[in-house]
Amino acid sequence: MSYVVYILYSESSNRTYVGQTSDLEKRLVYHNEISIGSFTSKFRPWKLIHSEKFDSRSEAMRREKWFKSGVGRDEIQKIKNRCGVESAAADSSSGS
């Protein structure tokens, strides 16, 4: 079984979410449609901006933890810049 670390982006709130799963497709549906009262349910819709595959859950959990560190947050910012996702949120929130 393989595991995936993923980064989601919410354009409506300019937020990111990092998680890991063994079934990415099912997890995306959960974040965007099924979850109630969770962090991700408040900022829908979520867009997948990055994913990485691992052979073990422990490797995926280490990478997820790294993304949540200071250096990892810097890397998320680079990913967001490459995807051009933050510029869209900044344009929509400027009130023009």
Side-chain angles (χ1 to χ4, degrees), residues 11-75:
E11 188 174 300
S12 64
S13 65
N14 192 31
R15 293 178 186 263
T16 55
Y17 178 86
V18 178
Q20 56 87 22
T21 185
S22 61
D23 188 339
L24 183 57
E25 192 172 312
K26 184 177 177 180
R27 196 71 179 145
L28 290 174
V29 169
Y30 175 81
H31 287 305
N32 278 312
E33 299 173 19
I34 298 172
S35 67
I36 298 171
S38 66
F39 174 82
T40 57
S41 68
K42 299 172 191 167
F43 304 109
R44 290 178 181 150
W46 291 95
K47 173 183 170 183
L48 180 67
I49 61 168
H50 184 77
S51 65
E52 298 176 7
K53 194 178 240 185
F54 296 90
D55 292 330
S56 72
R57 185 167 188 208
S58 61
E59 288 176 292
M61 290 173 74
R62 275 193 296 276
R63 185 65 167 167
E64 176 187 16
K65 186 176 181 178
W66 180 84
F67 271 121
K68 293 176 179 179
S69 72
V71 176
R73 286 192 300 271
D74 290 343
E75 183 63 25

